[in-house]
Amino acid sequence: MPELKLDRVTKQFQNKIAVDQVSLTLKEGIYGFLGANGAGKTTLLRMLCGVLKPTSGEILCNGTEIRKMDGEFRHILGYLPQDFGYYPDFSAKRYLEYLAACKAVPKDLAEQKVQEVLQLVGLLGVQKQKIKTFSGGMIRRMGIAQALLNDPEILLLDEPTSGLDPKERIRFRNIISAMSKDRIVILSTHIVSDVEFIADEILLMKQGQIVEQGTSYEVTESVKGKVWECLVLPKEVQRLNEMYSVSNLRNEKDKVYLRIVSDDSPWEGAVQAEPRLEDVYLYYFKEAAENVENLA
């Protein structure tokens, strides 16, 4: 089982620092990188898979810099980029066979491996259909299948559920959870529910830095005392919504229930509430509140 270590990894594009002095040690388990769009998550994953070279710092696998490992590192790596490319006129089976050859999967094992990954992601029954007939969810599942062809010990998934409906998101999470044993799985997303239920560790990324890290419980506890519930008159809602981060709003007879994330009490009579992961997201990423899924 490999160990990934990031030592003060930085990536700068001209005057913009996309990833800023990130140091981490990753072992077996699911790591959920949660952050708004532009937080640096994709840049970090692209460095982890060797597509981008860090401006400074090192990425080590079992003590060896990944660029020095070359093909040895690619052999244990699976990667699903945010924009997954495919040939629409290929069938799922033919395309995966083609990718198996590109990944140097031994010819005598390729057919078996293709069938295994198709079954794992629920596409075995449609393997002869052309990819252009697939739904968005089916294409994302095929993306996971190609990432697993070489039975990788390190799996990188960038915004894997982007554009999927809730049912497909649940299916996707279940697949990731089922295949996580004996692997390092890194899942980058801005969707709270993608990581809330399956990540062993959650890392909040903002402006290229890790601002909070821990289990779902530990990260949630970091905003304890900063989540409030109150009932207000309808005429007060707009003002409070402009002043604070509102994670939930619900009409209750002649009043409106608000759930607000704030360091201080936002309203006379407001009471503290138990925080949830979406509250943590709002606390750290107030400017990206529109991306939060309401899990209430």
Side-chain angles (χ1 to χ4, degrees), residues 190-201:
H190 67 278
I191 300 171
V192 172
S193 60
D194 278 358
V195 298
E196 182 169 29
F197 303 112
I198 65 170
D200 299 300
E201 193 163 330

Side-chain angles (χ1 to χ4, degrees), residues 33-291:
F33 280 74
L34 185 62
N37 292 326
K41 306 184 305 296
T42 292
T43 299
L44 184 61
L45 259 65
R46 286 167 65 84
M47 287 191 289
L48 281 169
C49 70
V51 173
L52 288 177
K53 182 180 179 181
T55 304
S56 62
E58 289 186 314
I59 301 174
L60 309 171
C61 180
N62 294 336
T64 302
E65 221 286 324
I66 61 171
R67 287 188 169 270
K68 293 180 180 177
M69 296 175 68
D70 197 24
E72 182 185 354
F73 183 68
R74 290 197 300 272
H75 181 71
I76 63 171
L77 180 73
Y79 178 44
L80 173 60
Q82 188 172 352
D83 298 315
F84 169 59
Y86 56 90
Y87 297 116
D89 286 320
F90 276 34
S91 68
K93 180 175 182 291
R94 183 185 173 197
Y95 186 56
L96 290 176
E97 288 172 343
Y98 164 72
L99 289 179
C102 293
K103 291 172 182 275
V105 177
K107 202 168 184 179
D108 58 334
L109 295 178
E111 175 66 24
Q112 175 187 337
K113 200 61 193 175
V114 166
Q115 294 301 303
E116 283 180 5
V117 297
L118 282 168
Q119 183 170 10
L120 177 64
V121 301
L123 294 177
L124 195 61
V126 294
Q127 61 177 301
K128 295 183 179 179
Q129 290 185 23
K130 290 186 177 181
I131 300 170
K132 65 183 178 183
T133 67
F134 285 6
S135 67
M138 294 166 74
I139 290 171
R140 296 308 282 175
R141 278 188 270 152
M142 193 177 66
I144 277 203
Q146 64 81 25
L148 291 170
L149 277 170
N150 57 328
D151 198 20
E153 297 176 45
I154 301 169
L155 186 61
L156 309 179
L157 307 170
D158 192 4
E159 298 285 356
T161 68
S162 179
L164 301 188
D165 62 35
K167 184 178 179 180
E168 281 288 357
R169 278 187 187 151
I170 293 170
R171 181 201 288 265
F172 205 95
R173 291 201 303 265
N174 289 341
I175 291 170
I176 294 168
S177 187
M179 68 188 185
S180 63
K181 185 175 174 57
D182 299 325
R183 287 190 174 98
I184 297 174
V185 180
I186 299 173
L187 192 161
S188 165
T189 185
H190 67 278
I191 300 171
V192 172
S193 60
D194 278 358
V195 298
E196 182 169 29
F197 303 112
I198 65 170
D200 299 300
E201 193 163 330
I202 293 170
L203 302 96
L204 299 178
M205 195 167 184
K206 183 177 183 179
Q207 296 178 349
Q209 296 182 324
I210 305 298
V211 295
E212 194 66 57
Q213 178 180 355
T215 64
S216 180
Y217 174 78
E218 290 168 343
V219 169
T220 302
E221 284 292 291
S222 72
V223 298
K224 195 172 182 65
K226 305 178 189 297
V227 183
W228 308 83
E229 294 177 335
C230 57
L231 285 173
V232 303
L233 293 172
K235 65 180 183 180
E236 301 290 347
V237 172
Q238 183 175 347
R239 182 175 67 86
L240 289 170
N241 204 28
E242 291 173 351
M243 292 176 62
Y244 300 102
S245 296
V246 177
S247 67
N248 199 6
L249 182 156
R250 183 174 67 244
N251 290 310
E252 292 193 359
K253 296 183 179 178
D254 58 337
K255 291 191 175 182
V256 180
Y257 161 86
L258 296 179
R259 184 181 178 92
I260 294 173
V261 182
S262 170
D263 287 318
D264 304 307
S265 175
W267 186 258
E268 184 178 350
V271 296
Q272 290 184 353
E274 283 297 310
R276 299 191 292 252
L277 189 58
E278 65 171 2
D279 298 316
V280 179
Y281 188 97
L282 273 178
Y283 184 77
Y284 285 102
F285 311 110
K286 295 181 178 65
E287 70 282 0
E290 69 274 9
N291 289 326

